[in-house]
PDB file of all heavy atoms in Angstrom:
ATOM      1  N   GLN Q1106       0.829  -1.192   0.000  1.00 98.00           N
ATOM      2  CA  GLN Q1106       0.000   0.000   0.000  1.00 98.00           C
ATOM      3  C   GLN Q1106       0.868   1.248   0.000  1.00 98.00           C
ATOM      4  O   GLN Q1106       2.021   1.218   0.444  1.00 98.00           O
ATOM      5  CB  GLN Q1106      -0.910   0.019   1.234  1.00 98.00           C
ATOM      6  CG  GLN Q1106      -1.943  -1.090   1.286  1.00 98.00           C
ATOM      7  CD  GLN Q1106      -3.188  -0.740   0.518  1.00 98.00           C
ATOM      8  OE1 GLN Q1106      -3.141  -0.433  -0.670  1.00 98.00           O
ATOM      9  NE2 GLN Q1106      -4.321  -0.775   1.192  1.00 98.00           N
ATOM     10  N   ALA Q1107       0.328   2.335  -0.511  1.00 98.00           N
ATOM     11  CA  ALA Q1107       1.041   3.605  -0.471  1.00 98.00           C
ATOM     12  C   ALA Q1107       1.461   3.922   0.959  1.00 98.00           C
ATOM     13  O   ALA Q1107       0.693   3.730   1.903  1.00 98.00           O
ATOM     14  CB  ALA Q1107       0.172   4.718  -1.024  1.00 98.00           C
ATOM     15  N   GLY Q1108       2.690   4.393   1.093  1.00 98.00           N
ATOM     16  CA  GLY Q1108       3.241   4.665   2.404  1.00 98.00           C
ATOM     17  C   GLY Q1108       4.013   3.511   2.997  1.00 98.00           C
ATOM     18  O   GLY Q1108       4.704   3.689   4.007  1.00 98.00           O
ATOM     19  N   GLY Q1109       3.931   2.362   2.380  1.00 98.00           N
ATOM     20  CA  GLY Q1109       4.633   1.190   2.865  1.00 98.00           C
ATOM     21  C   GLY Q1109       6.082   1.161   2.438  1.00 98.00           C
ATOM     22  O   GLY Q1109       6.589   2.081   1.793  1.00 98.00           O
ATOM     23  N   SER Q1110       6.744   0.061   2.784  1.00 98.00           N
ATOM     24  CA  SER Q1110       8.171  -0.087   2.518  1.00 98.00           C
ATOM     25  C   SER Q1110       8.477  -1.438   1.904  1.00 98.00           C
ATOM     26  O   SER Q1110       7.777  -2.431   2.143  1.00 98.00           O
ATOM     27  CB  SER Q1110       8.979   0.059   3.815  1.00 98.00           C
ATOM     28  OG  SER Q1110       8.825   1.345   4.389  1.00 98.00           O
ATOM     29  N   LEU Q1111       9.537  -1.464   1.122  1.00 98.00           N
ATOM     30  CA  LEU Q1111      10.096  -2.686   0.584  1.00 98.00           C
ATOM     31  C   LEU Q1111      11.606  -2.569   0.585  1.00 98.00           C
ATOM     32  O   LEU Q1111      12.148  -1.462   0.495  1.00 98.00           O
ATOM     33  CB  LEU Q1111       9.620  -2.957  -0.845  1.00 98.00           C
ATOM     34  CG  LEU Q1111       8.191  -3.436  -1.063  1.00 98.00           C
ATOM     35  CD1 LEU Q1111       7.884  -3.451  -2.552  1.00 98.00           C
ATOM     36  CD2 LEU Q1111       7.988  -4.821  -0.471  1.00 98.00           C
ATOM     37  N   ARG Q1112      12.270  -3.703   0.666  1.00 98.00           N
ATOM     38  CA  ARG Q1112      13.723  -3.742   0.592  1.00 98.00           C
ATOM     39  C   ARG Q1112      14.126  -4.709  -0.510  1.00 98.00           C
ATOM     40  O   ARG Q1112      13.857  -5.907  -0.421  1.00 98.00           O
ATOM     41  CB  ARG Q1112      14.337  -4.179   1.916  1.00 98.00           C
ATOM     42  CG  ARG Q1112      15.869  -4.155   1.956  1.00 98.00           C
ATOM     43  CD  ARG Q1112      16.367  -4.485   3.347  1.00 98.00           C
ATOM     44  NE  ARG Q1112      17.810  -4.384   3.493  1.00 98.00           N
ATOM     45  CZ  ARG Q1112      18.632  -5.422   3.630  1.00 98.00           C
ATOM     46  NH1 ARG Q1112      18.136  -6.663   3.626  1.00 98.00           N
ATOM     47  NH2 ARG Q1112      19.936  -5.236   3.770  1.00 98.00           N
ATOM     48  N   LEU Q1113      14.744  -4.183  -1.542  1.00 98.00           N
ATOM     49  CA  LEU Q1113      15.214  -4.989  -2.654  1.00 98.00           C
ATOM     50  C   LEU Q1113      16.660  -5.400  -2.427  1.00 98.00           C
ATOM     51  O   LEU Q1113      17.460  -4.635  -1.892  1.00 98.00           O
ATOM     52  CB  LEU Q1113      15.109  -4.215  -3.970  1.00 98.00           C
ATOM     53  CG  LEU Q1113      13.747  -3.631  -4.342  1.00 98.00           C
ATOM     54  CD1 LEU Q1113      13.831  -2.971  -5.716  1.00 98.00           C
ATOM     55  CD2 LEU Q1113      12.673  -4.702  -4.316  1.00 98.00           C
ATOM     56  N   SER Q1114      16.983  -6.605  -2.863  1.00 98.00           N
ATOM     57  CA  SER Q1114      18.338  -7.118  -2.777  1.00 98.00           C
ATOM     58  C   SER Q1114      18.779  -7.601  -4.145  1.00 98.00           C
ATOM     59  O   SER Q1114      17.977  -8.093  -4.938  1.00 98.00           O
ATOM     60  CB  SER Q1114      18.438  -8.279  -1.785  1.00 98.00           C
ATOM     61  OG  SER Q1114      18.082  -7.879  -0.477  1.00 98.00           O
ATOM     62  N   CYS Q1115      20.058  -7.474  -4.402  1.00 97.00           N
ATOM     63  CA  CYS Q1115      20.625  -7.938  -5.661  1.00 97.00           C
ATOM     64  C   CYS Q1115      22.027  -8.448  -5.396  1.00 97.00           C
ATOM     65  O   CYS Q1115      22.865  -7.711  -4.870  1.00 97.00           O
ATOM     66  CB  CYS Q1115      20.655  -6.806  -6.684  1.00 97.00           C
ATOM     67  SG  CYS Q1115      21.588  -7.177  -8.188  1.00 97.00           S
ATOM     68  N   GLN Q1116      22.278  -9.683  -5.774  1.00 96.00           N
ATOM     69  CA  GLN Q1116      23.596 -10.265  -5.595  1.00 96.00           C
ATOM     70  C   GLN Q1116      24.175 -10.690  -6.936  1.00 96.00           C
ATOM     71  O   GLN Q1116      23.519 -11.395  -7.706  1.00 96.00           O
ATOM     72  CB  GLN Q1116      23.559 -11.461  -4.651  1.00 96.00           C
ATOM     73  CG  GLN Q1116      24.946 -12.030  -4.373  1.00 96.00           C
ATOM     74  CD  GLN Q1116      24.948 -13.096  -3.301  1.00 96.00           C
ATOM     75  OE1 GLN Q1116      23.986 -13.862  -3.176  1.00 96.00           O
ATOM     76  NE2 GLN Q1116      26.003 -13.142  -2.511  1.00 96.00           N
ATOM     77  N   ALA Q1117      25.391 -10.273  -7.183  1.00 95.00           N
ATOM     78  CA  ALA Q1117      26.135 -10.702  -8.353  1.00 95.00           C
ATOM     79  C   ALA Q1117      27.082 -11.824  -7.957  1.00 95.00           C
ATOM     80  O   ALA Q1117      27.773 -11.730  -6.942  1.00 95.00           O
ATOM     81  CB  ALA Q1117      26.918  -9.541  -8.955  1.00 95.00           C
ATOM     82  N   SER Q1118      27.117 -12.876  -8.744  1.00 94.00           N
ATOM     83  CA  SER Q1118      27.979 -14.011  -8.441  1.00 94.00           C
ATOM     84  C   SER Q1118      28.553 -14.579  -9.729  1.00 94.00           C
ATOM     85  O   SER Q1118      28.047 -14.329 -10.819  1.00 94.00           O
ATOM     86  CB  SER Q1118      27.220 -15.092  -7.677  1.00 94.00           C
ATOM     87  OG  SER Q1118      26.140 -15.598  -8.448  1.00 94.00           O
ATOM     88  N   GLY Q1119      29.605 -15.364  -9.578  1.00 93.00           N
ATOM     89  CA  GLY Q1119      30.262 -15.966 -10.720  1.00 93.00           C
ATOM     90  C   GLY Q1119      31.737 -15.642 -10.736  1.00 93.00           C
ATOM     91  O   GLY Q1119      32.354 -15.458  -9.689  1.00 93.00           O
ATOM     92  N   THR Q1120      32.284 -15.583 -11.931  1.00 92.00           N
ATOM     93  CA  THR Q1120      33.724 -15.356 -12.086  1.00 92.00           C
ATOM     94  C   THR Q1120      34.047 -13.866 -12.003  1.00 92.00           C
ATOM     95  O   THR Q1120      34.560 -13.261 -12.945  1.00 92.00           O
ATOM     96  CB  THR Q1120      34.206 -15.951 -13.412  1.00 92.00           C
ATOM     97  OG1 THR Q1120      33.440 -15.396 -14.505  1.00 92.00           O
ATOM     98  CG2 THR Q1120      34.050 -17.459 -13.415  1.00 92.00           C
ATOM     99  N   ILE Q1121      33.771 -13.309 -10.848  1.00 92.00           N
ATOM    100  CA  ILE Q1121      33.940 -11.878 -10.621  1.00 92.00           C
ATOM    101  C   ILE Q1121      35.231 -11.613  -9.872  1.00 92.00           C
ATOM    102  O   ILE Q1121      35.486 -12.223  -8.836  1.00 92.00           O
ATOM    103  CB  ILE Q1121      32.752 -11.308  -9.839  1.00 92.00           C
ATOM    104  CG1 ILE Q1121      31.466 -11.449 -10.649  1.00 92.00           C
ATOM    105  CG2 ILE Q1121      33.001  -9.844  -9.480  1.00 92.00           C
ATOM    106  CD1 ILE Q1121      30.218 -11.100  -9.877  1.00 92.00           C
ATOM    107  N   PHE Q1122      36.002 -10.685 -10.391  1.00 90.00           N
ATOM    108  CA  PHE Q1122      37.191 -10.232  -9.689  1.00 90.00           C
ATOM    109  C   PHE Q1122      36.857  -9.063  -8.772  1.00 90.00           C
ATOM    110  O   PHE Q1122      37.290  -9.023  -7.618  1.00 90.00           O
ATOM    111  CB  PHE Q1122      38.290  -9.839 -10.682  1.00 90.00           C
ATOM    112  CG  PHE Q1122      39.581  -9.435 -10.030  1.00 90.00           C
ATOM    113  CD1 PHE Q1122      40.467 -10.386  -9.577  1.00 90.00           C
ATOM    114  CD2 PHE Q1122      39.910  -8.095  -9.872  1.00 90.00           C
ATOM    115  CE1 PHE Q1122      41.659 -10.032  -8.967  1.00 90.00           C
ATOM    116  CE2 PHE Q1122      41.097  -7.718  -9.272  1.00 90.00           C
ATOM    117  CZ  PHE Q1122      41.977  -8.694  -8.816  1.00 90.00           C
ATOM    118  N   SER Q1123      36.109  -8.129  -9.291  1.00 89.00           N
ATOM    119  CA  SER Q1123      35.677  -6.995  -8.498  1.00 89.00           C
ATOM    120  C   SER Q1123      34.457  -6.365  -9.157  1.00 89.00           C
ATOM    121  O   SER Q1123      34.206  -6.557 -10.342  1.00 89.00           O
ATOM    122  CB  SER Q1123      36.797  -5.961  -8.340  1.00 89.00           C
ATOM    123  OG  SER Q1123      37.165  -5.404  -9.594  1.00 89.00           O
ATOM    124  N   VAL Q1124      33.722  -5.608  -8.362  1.00 90.00           N
ATOM    125  CA  VAL Q1124      32.551  -4.909  -8.846  1.00 90.00           C
ATOM    126  C   VAL Q1124      32.801  -3.410  -8.747  1.00 90.00           C
ATOM    127  O   VAL Q1124      33.144  -2.908  -7.676  1.00 90.00           O
ATOM    128  CB  VAL Q1124      31.290  -5.288  -8.051  1.00 90.00           C
ATOM    129  CG1 VAL Q1124      30.084  -4.503  -8.555  1.00 90.00           C
ATOM    130  CG2 VAL Q1124      31.036  -6.785  -8.149  1.00 90.00           C
ATOM    131  N   ASN Q1125      32.640  -2.729  -9.852  1.00 89.00           N
ATOM    132  CA  ASN Q1125      32.893  -1.296  -9.873  1.00 89.00           C
ATOM    133  C   ASN Q1125      31.670  -0.497  -9.413  1.00 89.00           C
ATOM    134  O   ASN Q1125      31.762   0.322  -8.511  1.00 89.00           O
ATOM    135  CB  ASN Q1125      33.305  -0.853 -11.276  1.00 89.00           C
ATOM    136  CG  ASN Q1125      34.579  -1.518 -11.734  1.00 89.00           C
ATOM    137  OD1 ASN Q1125      35.552  -1.604 -10.994  1.00 89.00           O
ATOM    138  ND2 ASN Q1125      34.582  -1.997 -12.976  1.00 89.00           N
ATOM    139  N   VAL Q1126      30.549  -0.745 -10.057  1.00 91.00           N
ATOM    140  CA  VAL Q1126      29.331   0.005  -9.792  1.00 91.00           C
ATOM    141  C   VAL Q1126      28.164  -0.962  -9.722  1.00 91.00           C
ATOM    142  O   VAL Q1126      28.060  -1.889 -10.525  1.00 91.00           O
ATOM    143  CB  VAL Q1126      29.054   1.063 -10.886  1.00 91.00           C
ATOM    144  CG1 VAL Q1126      27.805   1.874 -10.544  1.00 91.00           C
ATOM    145  CG2 VAL Q1126      30.251   1.973 -11.084  1.00 91.00           C
ATOM    146  N   MET Q1127      27.276  -0.740  -8.782  1.00 93.00           N
ATOM    147  CA  MET Q1127      26.006  -1.443  -8.753  1.00 93.00           C
ATOM    148  C   MET Q1127      24.899  -0.406  -8.640  1.00 93.00           C
ATOM    149  O   MET Q1127      25.038   0.576  -7.908  1.00 93.00           O
ATOM    150  CB  MET Q1127      25.923  -2.432  -7.600  1.00 93.00           C
ATOM    151  CG  MET Q1127      26.957  -3.544  -7.686  1.00 93.00           C
ATOM    152  SD  MET Q1127      26.711  -4.869  -6.471  1.00 93.00           S
ATOM    153  CE  MET Q1127      25.359  -5.781  -7.248  1.00 93.00           C
ATOM    154  N   GLY Q1128      23.838  -0.630  -9.376  1.00 96.00           N
ATOM    155  CA  GLY Q1128      22.760   0.331  -9.371  1.00 96.00           C
ATOM    156  C   GLY Q1128      21.411  -0.293  -9.615  1.00 96.00           C
ATOM    157  O   GLY Q1128      21.297  -1.462  -9.995  1.00 96.00           O
ATOM    158  N   TRP Q1129      20.400   0.508  -9.369  1.00 98.00           N
ATOM    159  CA  TRP Q1129      19.018   0.106  -9.581  1.00 98.00           C
ATOM    160  C   TRP Q1129      18.379   1.006 -10.620  1.00 98.00           C
ATOM    161  O   TRP Q1129      18.485   2.234 -10.545  1.00 98.00           O
ATOM    162  CB  TRP Q1129      18.215   0.186  -8.283  1.00 98.00           C
ATOM    163  CG  TRP Q1129      18.581  -0.856  -7.285  1.00 98.00           C
ATOM    164  CD1 TRP Q1129      19.444  -0.746  -6.244  1.00 98.00           C
ATOM    165  CD2 TRP Q1129      18.074  -2.195  -7.242  1.00 98.00           C
ATOM    166  NE1 TRP Q1129      19.516  -1.920  -5.547  1.00 98.00           N
ATOM    167  CE2 TRP Q1129      18.683  -2.835  -6.139  1.00 98.00           C
ATOM    168  CE3 TRP Q1129      17.169  -2.910  -8.020  1.00 98.00           C
ATOM    169  CZ2 TRP Q1129      18.416  -4.157  -5.798  1.00 98.00           C
ATOM    170  CZ3 TRP Q1129      16.906  -4.233  -7.681  1.00 98.00           C
ATOM    171  CH2 TRP Q1129      17.526  -4.833  -6.585  1.00 98.00           C
ATOM    172  N   TYR Q1130      17.720   0.384 -11.575  1.00 98.00           N
ATOM    173  CA  TYR Q1130      16.933   1.076 -12.580  1.00 98.00           C
ATOM    174  C   TYR Q1130      15.486   0.619 -12.460  1.00 98.00           C
ATOM    175  O   TYR Q1130      15.198  -0.419 -11.876  1.00 98.00           O
ATOM    176  CB  TYR Q1130      17.443   0.754 -13.984  1.00 98.00           C
ATOM    177  CG  TYR Q1130      18.820   1.300 -14.301  1.00 98.00           C
ATOM    178  CD1 TYR Q1130      19.956   0.734 -13.735  1.00 98.00           C
ATOM    179  CD2 TYR Q1130      18.978   2.362 -15.185  1.00 98.00           C
ATOM    180  CE1 TYR Q1130      21.218   1.224 -14.031  1.00 98.00           C
ATOM    181  CE2 TYR Q1130      20.234   2.851 -15.489  1.00 98.00           C
ATOM    182  CZ  TYR Q1130      21.346   2.280 -14.913  1.00 98.00           C
ATOM    183  OH  TYR Q1130      22.594   2.763 -15.219  1.00 98.00           O
ATOM    184  N   ARG Q1131      14.585   1.385 -13.029  1.00 98.00           N
ATOM    185  CA  ARG Q1131      13.199   0.954 -13.066  1.00 98.00           C
ATOM    186  C   ARG Q1131      12.557   1.362 -14.380  1.00 98.00           C
ATOM    187  O   ARG Q1131      12.957   2.323 -15.019  1.00 98.00           O
ATOM    188  CB  ARG Q1131      12.404   1.514 -11.886  1.00 98.00           C
ATOM    189  CG  ARG Q1131      12.199   3.022 -11.902  1.00 98.00           C
ATOM    190  CD  ARG Q1131      11.508   3.471 -10.625  1.00 98.00           C
ATOM    191  NE  ARG Q1131      11.294   4.910 -10.598  1.00 98.00           N
ATOM    192  CZ  ARG Q1131      10.834   5.577  -9.547  1.00 98.00           C
ATOM    193  NH1 ARG Q1131      10.533   4.924  -8.419  1.00 98.00           N
ATOM    194  NH2 ARG Q1131      10.672   6.896  -9.621  1.00 98.00           N
ATOM    195  N   GLN Q1132      11.550   0.605 -14.756  1.00 98.00           N
ATOM    196  CA  GLN Q1132      10.823   0.878 -15.983  1.00 98.00           C
ATOM    197  C   GLN Q1132       9.350   0.574 -15.782  1.00 98.00           C
ATOM    198  O   GLN Q1132       8.978  -0.554 -15.467  1.00 98.00           O
ATOM    199  CB  GLN Q1132      11.379   0.055 -17.145  1.00 98.00           C
ATOM    200  CG  GLN Q1132      10.789   0.415 -18.491  1.00 98.00           C
ATOM    201  CD  GLN Q1132      11.567  -0.175 -19.648  1.00 98.00           C
ATOM    202  OE1 GLN Q1132      12.264  -1.179 -19.479  1.00 98.00           O
ATOM    203  NE2 GLN Q1132      11.465   0.437 -20.811  1.00 98.00           N
TER     204      GLN Q1132
END
């Protein structure tokens, strides 16, 4: 409902050496 809250999570995994930037987009 309007006024409520949510918490989104995103995990990157695999053959990763390092992560430069992480971001959220919406459409």
Side-chain angles (χ1 to χ4, degrees):
Q1106 295 275 56
S1110 298
L1111 286 172
R1112 184 175 184 252
L1113 305 183
S1114 299
C1115 170
Q1116 184 172 34
S1118 61
T1120 56
I1121 297 171
F1122 183 80
S1123 64
V1124 178
N1125 298 315
V1126 183
M1127 297 189 78
W1129 289 96
Y1130 293 73
R1131 68 185 180 187
Q1132 187 167 24

